[in-house]
């Protein structure tokens, strides 16, 4: 029997939206459904006081891949925003990522040679040859002063665990620079879509049928009956009814406030690194687009334990959960008519450019392209 669509796409985040767009270019029809009342997944922005508010945490687009940069710029122009967060620790502000400015603020070192000597001294004193956890990794990368001021307490509140019980890979990506350079990312291309991320999602989903506020699992047989194939971007364990057990996540709670001032903190991201402050950072959304509105909107980001009622933000990629995920992958591989992709289905902490690359790869496989 002829089905109404070629693809049912469960989840309208970047993976689903890119897949739907590419399928359409190849003459295939899709229905994209989302249980939230809006499209776009976690990149969704809500306009408040003329400001694009990142509803599910700050999203800063960055990539080294020129083709991915050109791809997103086809749908909406990106501005020249460069992420340069500052950290408030023990009453003082520090530049991030760790660079010559940070070293000057911390130690008063003025030249790369002085900073390097100080780092080497700290690492020689506190570093270990084979770091077995995040604390040892940090001490081996930057030594005790930076670890205790800017990493330990922030990391422990972010993950709800002692740094000695956390895997070292979490901070492997923190760069250390002997230049005066506060650009958080190393990538060649970086920016924010002018007018917000909804423009990107709307562009991708232009001309594609969508339904929001509908739960795939509430009427699975009905939805499966609408299309030949399913692209599933939700939690992989939920797809299989948690039959092998639940994968663990870390969640976040956002508290958003409109303030009567036009500039609250002078940049988009301020980290609060001390353990006695319950949130990890404050986002002032207007600065992503150099906004000049009379008011401002800020969001405090509180890490929290995850359960099934909460949003799943950060996968806990420890050995246990990684092993469980691998078992779910075996079940997934046996589902001939289902494509699994995106942060939740791949159980990976993806940045946006990586999700787009993953979706484009899935399209190539699905359409047997080289
Ligand atoms: N981190 C830290 N101090 C900071 C910022 C980050 O120790 O001021 C560590 C922390 O362990 C965090 C990791 O670096 O989990 C990655 O942080 P980032 O802000 O890059 O990740 P995001 O949470 O924005 O994805």
């Amino acid at each position: 029997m002829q089905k109404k669509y070629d693809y049912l796409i469960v989840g309208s985040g970047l993976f689903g939206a890119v897949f739907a767009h590419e399928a359409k270019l190849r003459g295939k029809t899709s229905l994209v459904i989302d249980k939230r009342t809006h499209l776009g997944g976690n990149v969704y922005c809500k306009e408040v006081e003329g400001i694009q508010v990142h509803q599910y945490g700050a999203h800063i687009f960055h990539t080294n891949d020129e083709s991915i940069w050109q791809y997103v710029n086809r749908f909406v122009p990106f501005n020249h925003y460069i992420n340069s967060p500052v950290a408030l620790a023990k009453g003082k502000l520090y530049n991030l990522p760790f660079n010559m400015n940070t070293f000057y603020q911390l130690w008063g070192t003025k030249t790369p040679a002085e900073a390097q000597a100080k780092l080497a001294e700290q690492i020689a004193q506190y570093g270990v040859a084979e770091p077995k956890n995040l604390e040892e990794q940090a001490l081996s990368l930057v030594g005790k002063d930076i670890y205790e001021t800017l990493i330990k307490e922030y990391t422990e509140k972010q993950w709800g665990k002692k740094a000695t019980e956390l895997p070292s890979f979490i901070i492997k990506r923190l760069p250390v620079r002997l230049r005066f350079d506060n650009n958080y990312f190393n990538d060649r291309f970086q920016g924010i879509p002018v007018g917000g991320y909804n423009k990107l999602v709307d562009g991708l989903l232009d001309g594609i049928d969508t339904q929001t506020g509908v739960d795939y699992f509430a009427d699975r047989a009905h939805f499966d009956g609408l299309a030949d194939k399913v692209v599933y971007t939700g939690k992989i364990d939920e797809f299989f009814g948690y039959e092998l057990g639940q994968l663990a996540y870390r969640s976040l709670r956002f508290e958003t406030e409109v303030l009567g001032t036009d500039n609250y903190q002078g940049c988009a991201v301020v980290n609060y690194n001390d353990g006695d402050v319950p949130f990890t950072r404050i986002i002032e959304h207007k600065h992503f687009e150099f906004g000049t509105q009379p008011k401002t909107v800020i969001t405090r980001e509180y890490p929290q334990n995850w359960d099934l009622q909460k949003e799943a933000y950060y996968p806990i990629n420890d050995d246990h959960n990684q092993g469980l995920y691998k078992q779910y992958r075996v079940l997934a591989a046996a589902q001939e008519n289902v494509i699994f992709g995106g942060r939740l289905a791949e159980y990976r902490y993806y940045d946006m450019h990586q999700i787009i690359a993953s979706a484009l790869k899935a399209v190539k496989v699905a359409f047997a392209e080289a």
Side-chain angles (χ1 to χ4, degrees), residues 48-52 261-263 286 290-296:
V48 181
E49 301 290 342
I51 297 162
Q52 295 299 319
T261 169
D262 67 337
N263 189 359
K286 71 191 306 176
F290 319 105
T292 55
Q293 298 85 351
K295 292 188 181 175
T296 197

Side-chain angles (χ1 to χ4, degrees), residues 55-74:
Q55 283 290 102
Y56 303 95
H59 281 75
I60 299 145
F61 200 93
H62 57 94
T63 180
N64 249 330
D65 184 333
E66 193 163 5
S67 68
I68 299 277
W69 182 244
Q70 284 168 351
Y71 188 84
V72 292
N73 274 275
R74 286 217 296 262

Side-chain angles (χ1 to χ4, degrees), residues 302-323:
Y302 296 82
Q304 62 177 3
N305 289 332
W306 173 84
D307 61 44
L308 284 181
Q309 274 67 52
K310 301 205 180 79
E311 294 287 349
Y313 284 106
Y314 295 93
I316 307 283
N317 295 106
D318 59 14
D319 291 345
H320 167 73
N321 284 287
Q322 227 24 59

Side-chain angles (χ1 to χ4, degrees), residues 5-9 224 227-231 336-339 366:
Y5 297 98
D6 295 306
Y7 291 100
L8 170 78
I9 301 186
D224 285 345
D228 294 328
K229 293 198 169 185
V230 174
V231 174
E336 272 179 27
N337 290 321
V338 186
I339 294 164

Side-chain angles (χ1 to χ4, degrees), residues 58 86-87 96 98 134 147 150-156 158-159 166 170-171 173-174 184-185 252 271-273 280-281 301 314 343 349 351:
V86 293
L96 294 175
F98 309 135
L134 190 144
Y147 172 64
L150 294 168
I151 299 178
K152 184 176 191 291
E153 293 172 39
Y154 183 100
T155 298
E156 291 184 345
Q158 167 75 359
W159 295 101
L166 284 166
I170 291 176
I171 55 154
R173 66 182 199 164
L174 276 185
Y184 200 66
F185 301 113
L252 298 171
N271 287 1
Y272 283 74
N273 294 50
T280 49
R281 50 192 167 194
E301 197 171 309
Y314 295 93
R343 180 187 287 214
Y349 186 68
D351 290 330

Side-chain angles (χ1 to χ4, degrees), residues 45-319:
C45 297
K46 186 176 170 192
E47 187 168 317
V48 181
E49 301 290 342
I51 297 162
Q52 295 299 319
V53 173
H54 295 203
Q55 283 290 102
Y56 303 95
H59 281 75
I60 299 145
F61 200 93
H62 57 94
T63 180
N64 249 330
D65 184 333
E66 193 163 5
S67 68
I68 299 277
W69 182 244
Q70 284 168 351
Y71 188 84
V72 292
N73 274 275
R74 286 217 296 262
F75 302 98
V76 53
F78 278 61
N79 70 17
H80 62 284
Y81 175 82
I82 298 283
N83 196 35
S84 309
V86 293
L88 181 65
K90 322 244 184 292
K92 276 185 69 178
L93 286 173
Y94 296 90
N95 286 112
L96 294 175
F98 309 135
N99 73 86
M100 286 301 294
N101 291 306
T102 329
F103 308 140
Y104 177 69
Q105 290 147 354
L106 202 62
W107 297 314
T109 50
K110 296 191 186 71
T111 64
E114 282 173 33
Q116 185 136 44
K118 190 77 192 170
L119 277 167
E121 175 196 308
Q122 289 258 316
I123 293 166
Q125 208 173 339
Y126 303 102
V128 298
E130 280 177 37
K132 286 184 293 298
N133 56 52
L134 190 144
E135 177 166 298
E136 292 182 359
Q137 175 74 29
L139 290 170
S140 308
L141 278 176
V142 289
K144 187 167 176 239
D145 289 353
I146 295 181
Y147 172 64
E148 289 190 344
T149 314
L150 294 168
I151 299 178
K152 184 176 191 291
E153 293 172 39
Y154 183 100
T155 298
E156 291 184 345
K157 76 177 155 182
Q158 167 75 359
W159 295 101
K161 271 190 176 176
K162 292 257 166 268
T164 48
E165 290 161 14
L166 284 166
S168 52
F169 72 81
I170 291 176
I171 55 154
K172 275 206 179 115
R173 66 182 199 164
L174 276 185
V176 174
R177 278 194 205 124
L178 291 168
R179 285 177 288 120
F180 291 94
D181 179 357
N182 300 326
N183 181 351
Y184 200 66
F185 301 113
N186 286 317
D187 290 340
R188 284 165 67 203
F189 307 100
Q190 183 173 174
I192 300 281
V194 176
Y197 282 92
N198 299 358
K199 292 199 187 292
L200 173 61
V201 173
D202 291 348
L204 285 163
L205 292 176
D206 187 33
I208 292 159
D209 287 354
T210 62
Q211 285 177 23
T212 55
V214 293
D215 183 355
Y216 172 66
F217 293 109
D219 206 352
R220 198 164 175 168
H222 160 70
F223 286 116
D224 285 345
L226 294 177
D228 294 328
K229 293 198 169 185
V230 174
V231 174
Y232 177 78
T233 73
K235 289 181 4 235
I236 191 166
D237 52 354
E238 186 173 15
F239 185 92
F240 294 104
Y242 305 105
E243 66 175 79
L244 305 173
Q246 281 179 24
L247 289 165
Y249 291 88
R250 185 77 174 148
S251 193
L252 298 171
R253 180 170 66 82
F254 299 105
E255 257 179 30
T256 296
E257 223 185 312
V258 179
L259 301 177
T261 169
D262 67 337
N263 189 359
Y264 173 72
Q265 63 184 16
C267 69
V269 184
V270 177
N271 287 1
Y272 283 74
N273 294 50
D274 296 346
D276 56 2
V277 178
F279 46 88
T280 49
R281 50 192 167 194
I282 299 185
I283 306 300
E284 187 171 12
H285 301 268
K286 71 191 306 176
H287 296 304
F288 287 130
E289 290 197 60
F290 319 105
T292 55
Q293 298 85 351
K295 292 188 181 175
T296 197
V297 183
I298 62 164
T299 301
R300 291 187 181 80
E301 197 171 309
Y302 296 82
Q304 62 177 3
N305 289 332
W306 173 84
D307 61 44
L308 284 181
Q309 274 67 52
K310 301 205 180 79
E311 294 287 349
Y313 284 106
Y314 295 93
I316 307 283
N317 295 106
D318 59 14
D319 291 345

